[in-house]
Amino acid sequence: MRPLLVTGASGFVGRHFVAEAAKRGFATSAVGRGAPPAGLPDSVRWIAADLSDPSGLEGIAREYWGVAHFANFSIPADYSDDSVIAQSVAMTARLVGHLRSARFLFPSSCHVYAASEDIKSEDSATVPAGRYGRAKLLAEELVLLSGHIDARVARPFNHIGKYMQPALMIPSLAARVMDTKAHETIVMRGKNSIRDFLDVRDIVAAYFALLELDNPPERIFNVCSGNVTGIKELAERFVRLAGKDNAILFDEQARSSDDIDRLVGDPSRILAMTDWRPRFSLEDSIRTLLR
């Protein structure tokens, strides 16, 4: 059994990742603040720790086969000033400095890319529009320049799936669709932006595929579908699958400084270097949020 450490294990992606690690037979240690989340597999060792506190590393070993580092401030709107960037990067720095060796997966973000109309490859310009993207890009550099760990950086595009934080656009949309009466218009905060959505279960599968790579010649990977979907189209699919007929309008106000008009990725690198392929359709993902 290969030892695996998962930080941020009580969060959205962390919970899915820990459950999949247990299915795959890893000797998993899961780190999170406070008590373990409901449904934690019996085989998983829970470590209650806060990585924003230097003493939070005391119960964590220094060598693992693999590490997946999800602990972070995950909502772009929470990056109210540069101190949040510093706190976010410091968590990654402490963990990297603590470890002696590991295959280290750092889930970054598509928000590191510059605002533009082009499809983003891993070689596209990295000029983050907001603080969330800047924090991720700084942490990427830290991880990639740490020579004692075997680093892999994933740049996931827009997630969709169960356990998302309610403040995020997609779960908020799902709740509003279910709560809005027939024929009422749903007015959405934000823009009818263009995005590249991927089911969280597919994202987790991609992360395991990246961890399994032996000495990959590339270290940065887009995790995306390559499919183009407008937010209005997404909202209309929610309405249709809920069996409703509500119209969708936008107030055209950015939700955060990271909220740019178009973010679509090119998955060619991960498709070429692994056997990973997306399995879930957008409709499959939406149904998990309408139950």
Side-chain angles (χ1 to χ4, degrees), residues 152-189:
R152 299 107 200 275
V153 169
R155 291 175 178 167
F157 282 65
N158 286 73
H159 303 54
I160 182 168
K162 189 176 179 183
Y163 305 136
M164 297 185 81
Q165 295 191 46
L168 292 170
M169 182 273 292
I170 289 176
S172 174
L173 169 62
R176 292 183 65 192
V177 167
M178 297 305 293
D179 294 342
T180 302
K181 295 178 182 179
H183 310 303
E184 289 184 352
T185 298
I186 297 175
V187 180
M188 295 185 62
R189 181 187 168 204

Side-chain angles (χ1 to χ4, degrees), residues 4-286:
L4 180 67
L5 178 72
V6 184
T7 72
S10 58
F12 166 45
V13 184
R15 291 178 68 175
H16 287 276
F17 191 90
V18 167
E20 183 63 22
K23 291 178 183 177
R24 294 179 182 232
F26 285 92
T28 305
S29 296
V31 179
R33 296 174 179 173
L40 186 77
D42 294 338
S43 61
V44 175
R45 175 189 175 225
W46 181 257
I47 302 172
D50 181 357
L51 295 188
S52 64
D53 181 347
S55 65
L57 295 166
E58 291 177 357
I60 298 173
R62 303 190 70 181
E63 294 186 6
Y64 293 89
W65 175 83
V67 174
H69 177 45
F70 298 104
N72 209 318
F73 301 98
S74 57
I75 299 179
D78 288 345
Y79 285 73
S80 55
D81 56 52
D82 288 349
S83 68
V84 185
I85 296 177
Q87 294 175 58
S88 177
V89 177
M91 283 195 285
T92 301
R94 288 190 189 102
L95 179 60
V96 169
H98 176 78
L99 295 168
R100 289 197 186 99
S101 66
R103 298 185 181 200
F104 191 97
L105 175 75
F106 179 67
S108 181
S109 171
C110 59
H111 288 287
V112 302
Y113 290 119
S116 66
E117 293 295 312
D118 62 308
I119 294 174
K120 309 302 184 187
S121 74
E122 292 84 353
D123 297 321
S124 295
T126 50
V127 185
R131 292 189 180 96
Y132 174 74
R134 291 203 293 272
K136 288 293 190 180
L137 188 60
L138 286 168
E140 280 189 18
E141 292 291 325
L142 187 152
V143 169
L144 292 169
L145 292 173
S146 299
H148 64 290
I149 59 172
D150 185 357
R152 299 107 200 275
V153 169
R155 291 175 178 167
F157 282 65
N158 286 73
H159 303 54
I160 182 168
K162 189 176 179 183
Y163 305 136
M164 297 185 81
Q165 295 191 46
L168 292 170
M169 182 273 292
I170 289 176
S172 174
L173 169 62
R176 292 183 65 192
V177 167
M178 297 305 293
D179 294 342
T180 302
K181 295 178 182 179
H183 310 303
E184 289 184 352
T185 298
I186 297 175
V187 180
M188 295 185 62
R189 181 187 168 204
K191 301 179 180 182
N192 182 21
S193 307
I194 303 300
R195 291 292 183 262
D196 183 335
F197 293 101
L198 193 60
D199 193 286
V200 65
R201 293 166 290 183
D202 282 325
I203 291 173
V204 164
Y207 290 166
F208 278 101
L210 295 179
L211 278 171
E212 292 286 357
L213 290 174
D214 294 321
N215 298 314
E218 302 289 350
R219 296 290 168 163
I220 299 174
F221 298 85
N222 284 343
V223 178
C224 57
S225 68
N227 297 324
V228 177
T229 305
I231 302 296
K232 184 176 182 180
E233 178 188 348
L234 176 73
E236 289 172 343
R237 292 194 191 195
F238 267 97
V239 168
R240 184 174 68 254
L241 289 172
K244 297 193 173 187
D245 59 356
N246 309 90
I248 305 293
L249 291 177
F250 292 82
D251 67 8
E252 294 299 330
Q253 300 297 314
R255 293 170 61 90
S256 74
S257 58
D258 293 89
D259 189 7
I260 63 177
D261 291 342
R262 183 182 179 91
L263 264 177
V264 179
D266 177 0
S268 297
R269 179 176 292 177
I270 191 171
L271 295 178
M273 294 184 62
T274 74
D275 61 0
W276 173 82
R277 300 291 184 275
R279 296 171 47 231
F280 298 97
S281 69
L282 191 53
E283 285 75 14
D284 293 333
S285 306
I286 290 170

